[in-house]
Amino acid sequence: MKPILLFLLPALVLATGCNKILDRQPTDFIQPDNYYNSEQDLNFALTGAYDPLGSEYLYGSSLWFQFGSCSDESFYPNTANSFSAPMFYQFDYTNPYVSGLWEQCYVGIERANLLIKNINKPNMDETKRQVILGEALFLRGFYHFLLVSNYGGVPLKLTPTANINSVNIPRDDAATVYAQVLADMKEAEAKVSKASVIGNGSHVSQTTVQGMLARVCLYMAGNPLNDQSKYAEALSWAQKVQQSGEHQLNTNFDPLLTNSAYSQVFINQTRDVYDVKESMWEADFYMNGQNTAYNEGGRLGTYQMGCQNIDTGFGSGNIRTTIKLYNLYKTGDQRRDWSIAPFSFTSTATTAVRVNYTASNIIGRESGKWRRYTELPPKQQYRTGTNFPILRYSDVLLMLAEAENEVNAGPTQAAYDAINEVRRRGYGVPLDQPDVNADLPADLSYTDFKQQIQDERARELCFEGLRRPDLIRWGIFKQVMDAMVTEIQASNASVTNKNRWILGYSTAGSSPRYTILPIPALELNINKAIRPNQGW
């Protein structure tokens, strides 16, 4: 969207003696000793540390599409490209998305480490220096979090690379990596600015750090670590966000574009509008016509509703919704017909016509959360400037409710208030007024409330790259994937589609190895101190 993160960090390399043919100083790179000399240098370096978030292998596509589109909320319908496709769990350690996620996270870590090491070089305002340091520490922790939650134990990298030949780095166990993630984020929390000061969702704020600490702690409390002491810590961090007064759910909408405040959250992301109260942290993208110097587009919107019209916006329709997700929404829930498009497009390059689905045609409807016809022109065919929401305030409220239920062995009033606030917005009623349709029944048991949390996260956060990790940390990944095979086979889909659509579910349900990614082949070939993950 906005070109806040468009300047790439100049390449920083360290001179290392190899052999005579390589013993020359490079002339087209900036040495670290000659950089980080001004506040501007530090800000450019910070931009470089943020930049991998927009990679194709992180929030440009991979984390929410390739590794996120086969769960009980959605599936990928096109088996023509099923070979080595993460969307069907048809991959191994040679897959480019497996290696791309690993590599881009370590690129971000290396850039953050270089910035941290050189943070004190320039003469500048000390408060601004500490903010930059805080963001760099957080990013280092966040990239390690993406690694450990996807690959398990990984090499911790806390200093810049001093020798490019030092490649044999052993893995640290997952608990050790998570501990460092917490340490980096906690240190960052005291340094970064408030969201109301920053004014955009591109840079992490104090409450963003607190919200992400809540997420990290919930991951630690669940599978595979099962450190249940972290539920109390997750609750504390989520409460800090809630009590800060910095955030609230969006309740406004543009009646010319949408009929619900919920859908406005995602229209804002397609229309270059920052709403930092609701959307706390976003991976930034920017498109301004075609072939301009500063375009950095993602895929959000291009995999959603299928259309081949330039005004409406090209889309493949390759994220399809499940019957389970559709049925989770009850009468009056306005989120359903925005998240799950109630129509498809029949389109050409010059025309686009909406065709409404019949009531019985549920399975295979297209994801509608980010609709390209709401984008501002001009539009590119295969890329968009739509920002990806890494953390939203509704997620924090649901994490708070979940942690309350776990800590107290049952839901408290605070847990009910948090989840009902999310539900009331979904039903289009005032957030502070009880509503018989929106509010959960009183006196739910611990087990029933936990189920409500699991369902509510699907309703509110579907297609945002969180469902697969949620299922894994709850310990229900296999049973959910097995159940999806049964659901599809019992549906009114054609025999051909049934056979295509169950591929990913039957593969993932057949082996426990798919709860974790393999260590990439390139890393195994180069790093002789690292070992493959079990089952890979």
Side-chain angles (χ1 to χ4, degrees), residues 241-432:
V241 179
Q242 184 187 49
Q243 295 164 5
S244 70
E246 290 278 297
H247 301 284
Q248 64 185 36
L249 298 181
N250 176 69
T251 57
N252 300 313
F253 63 92
D254 183 347
L256 297 178
L257 292 172
T258 178
N259 61 359
S260 76
Y262 177 76
S263 52
Q264 190 66 41
V265 173
F266 309 101
I267 291 175
N268 285 344
Q269 289 158 10
T270 67
R271 296 183 71 82
D272 199 19
V273 176
Y274 283 111
D275 176 10
V276 294
K277 286 186 173 294
E278 163 85 31
S279 192
M280 297 170 62
W281 186 29
E282 300 177 357
D284 233 6
F285 298 96
Y286 179 73
M287 299 299 292
N288 183 24
Q290 298 192 25
N291 301 319
T292 63
Y294 299 113
N295 281 350
E296 187 176 15
R299 300 284 191 176
L300 200 59
T302 66
Y303 291 134
Q304 275 74 25
M305 300 182 66
C307 192
Q308 301 301 316
N309 178 266
I310 192 62
D311 293 326
T312 303
F314 287 83
S316 64
N318 275 333
I319 299 179
R320 301 297 180 91
T321 57
T322 64
I323 296 173
K324 177 180 179 179
L325 178 62
Y326 184 91
N327 288 336
L328 283 178
Y329 297 100
K330 305 307 178 186
T331 301
D333 194 332
Q334 298 175 349
R335 294 173 295 185
R336 187 194 69 187
D337 286 348
W338 186 262
S339 295
I340 304 172
F343 58 84
S344 61
F345 282 111
T346 298
S347 62
T348 66
T350 57
T351 62
V353 179
R354 297 187 185 190
V355 179
N356 292 329
Y357 289 111
T358 63
S360 63
N361 188 356
I362 295 175
I363 190 170
R365 295 189 183 196
E366 296 165 350
S367 165
K369 233 172 189 180
W370 297 275
R371 304 185 180 188
R372 296 211 61 189
Y373 62 80
T374 68
E375 283 179 39
L376 296 173
K379 303 171 186 178
Q380 284 200 10
Q381 185 166 350
Y382 299 116
R383 298 280 178 176
T384 76
T386 301
N387 284 9
F388 185 87
I390 304 175
L391 180 67
R392 293 198 291 117
Y393 183 54
S394 58
D395 186 4
V396 175
L397 291 174
L398 294 178
M399 289 191 289
L400 189 155
E402 180 179 355
E404 279 276 5
N405 189 51
E406 296 293 339
V407 168
N408 297 286
T412 61
Q413 187 59 50
Y416 274 108
D417 289 345
I419 192 172
N420 284 339
E421 186 175 342
V422 175
R423 290 175 58 82
R424 288 171 191 169
R425 198 267 297 273
Y427 280 75
V429 299
L431 302 184
D432 59 351

Side-chain angles (χ1 to χ4, degrees), residues 62-77 85-91 318-322 463 465-469 471-472 477 480-482 484-485 488 500-509 514:
S62 180
L63 287 174
W64 52 267
F65 180 54
Q66 279 79 10
F67 291 122
S69 61
C70 187
S71 69
D72 58 344
E73 66 183 23
S74 64
F75 59 89
Y76 179 69
M87 300 85 75
F88 288 107
Y89 295 91
Q90 304 292 306
F91 62 87
N318 275 333
I319 299 179
R320 301 297 180 91
T321 57
T322 64
F463 317 127
L466 296 171
R467 191 59 176 177
R468 178 177 171 272
L471 296 176
I472 291 170
F477 179 75
V480 165
M481 300 303 272
D482 288 341
M484 291 308 303
V485 174
I488 292 173
R500 291 163 56 198
W501 294 349
I502 67 170
L503 176 59
Y505 298 108
S506 58
T507 303
Y514 290 104

Side-chain angles (χ1 to χ4, degrees), residues 19 56 92 114 145 172 198 214 238 253 267 277 282 394 396 410:
N19 52 43
E56 181 83 4
D92 59 20
L114 281 164
F145 171 58
D172 292 273
I198 298 171
F253 63 92
I267 291 175
K277 286 186 173 294
E282 300 177 357
S394 58
V396 175

